[in-house]
Amino acid sequence: MNPTTAFRAMRVRNDEAGYRSGIETMDADALTAGEVLVRVAWSSVNYKDALAGTGKGKILRQYPLNGGIDLAGHVVASTDPAFREGDAVLCTGSGLSETRDGGYAEYARLDARWTIPLPAGLSLRESMILGTAGFTAALALLRMQDNRQAPDLGPIAVTGASGGVGQLAIDIFSRAGYEVHAISGKADHFDFLRSLGASQCIDRHQLAFSGKPMDSARFAGALDNVGGPMLAGLLPLVVPYGNVAICGNAGGIAFDSTVMPFIIRGVSLLGIASAGTARNLRERVWQHLADDWKPRHLDRIATDEVTLDQLPAVFGRMLAGQSFGRTVVRVGGA
């Protein structure tokens, strides 16, 4: 397809006619500015995408924009010498579907600073099964290991384990040599979580926290997708100098805790903000994901593959809590 001709995009608008999203035709001249023009092959669906596509959350900071916070494809043209026509690249976060056009379009123009060459060991489709969810989980592991987390300290708890980040985290952490204990309120998914590498599954509804500032150490660390009371309950259970990485707030944005786990056991609380991650960290994370941390069960985690036209139904299921696993979006294929 010639990028100067009209192409399809799922565009989000908010104007006098109201908030809406749908398939439109546009050309490359209408895309937000950037050095690298990419023909998009694959994207993915994240909760943030569902909020943006339906208007249920304030995600976009300007309108109109194409949806989709993840994309992977091939370079069509570039004014940056680091990228040549035909190069396979990916981009996650970095303002996509917030301040610039995202991946739900047959073409996207990217800022070269945030365009990542597809590392050897990953296909374009695999990179989007991972997408922001896998990148977030791997970034958490990278930050934990940079802060001296190691498998011999003991098991890592993964909360919200049935979600996309949780499932990929189980696979990534177990691949990296960690014992993973999955915490989820969906006991009917426990067999699936074990198949991804969880050595134990813990029912969130049956997990009783004592409420004490300090309790018997149970976990060497945690990746918490939940926040709120879950985060407060985990901190007193972490071994000396263990790390708790927080990347979600499904259980609330506030938590009630004390300084005791931090000043008595030296526990570290690490914030994981994937959207604005520095370039050098992005490259480290994606190299790990293509190599020693590459999940073994990507095809199992990718439970759905859809087209741009099918996105509204996917958004509805996700916001209703009816989605499971990762949904990849075939934009142009390849």
Side-chain angles (χ1 to χ4, degrees), residues 76-273:
V76 173
S78 174
T79 59
D80 188 301
F83 299 96
R84 298 181 179 180
E85 183 178 350
D87 286 352
V89 297
L90 64 89
C91 186
T92 60
S94 310
L96 295 180
S97 189
E98 290 186 6
T99 58
R100 58 185 308 112
D101 288 312
Y104 293 162
E106 292 174 323
Y107 287 89
R109 187 175 280 116
L110 303 177
D111 189 325
R113 293 177 302 162
W114 309 122
T115 305
I116 304 296
L118 182 74
L122 278 181
S123 69
L124 291 172
R125 184 178 185 274
E126 287 174 330
S127 75
M128 290 295 96
I129 299 173
L130 290 162
T132 287
F135 178 81
T136 300
L139 177 62
L141 178 53
L142 183 73
R143 294 209 58 210
M144 291 169 77
Q145 291 198 159
D146 282 350
N147 206 36
R148 305 185 69 181
Q149 193 76 46
D152 59 8
L153 286 178
I156 300 294
V158 173
T159 69
S162 296
V165 175
Q167 290 180 22
L168 287 162
I170 292 168
D171 214 339
I172 290 166
F173 277 68
S174 61
R175 176 72 195 273
Y178 290 84
E179 179 183 344
V180 179
H181 292 188
I183 300 175
S184 172
K186 300 177 180 178
D188 55 326
H189 293 159
F190 282 1
D191 286 344
F192 181 81
L193 300 181
R194 292 188 187 96
S195 77
L196 300 181
S199 62
Q200 288 190 32
C201 292
I202 303 166
D203 190 331
R204 171 175 57 86
H205 303 296
Q206 298 178 9
L207 184 62
F209 296 126
S210 69
K212 299 176 183 178
M214 299 284 285
D215 211 336
S216 298
R218 179 173 179 179
F219 304 115
L223 173 58
D224 180 34
N225 291 282
V226 178
M230 176 64 75
L231 177 58
L234 283 173
L235 290 169
L237 304 179
V238 177
V239 304
Y241 297 99
N243 296 281
V244 176
I246 174 72
C247 67
N249 62 351
I253 60 173
F255 70 100
D256 184 14
S257 187
T258 75
V259 300
M260 300 301 282
F262 308 111
I263 66 173
I264 301 299
R265 289 186 179 158
V267 172
S268 294
L269 182 60
L270 306 177
I272 308 302

Side-chain angles (χ1 to χ4, degrees), residues 187 271 323:
S323 61

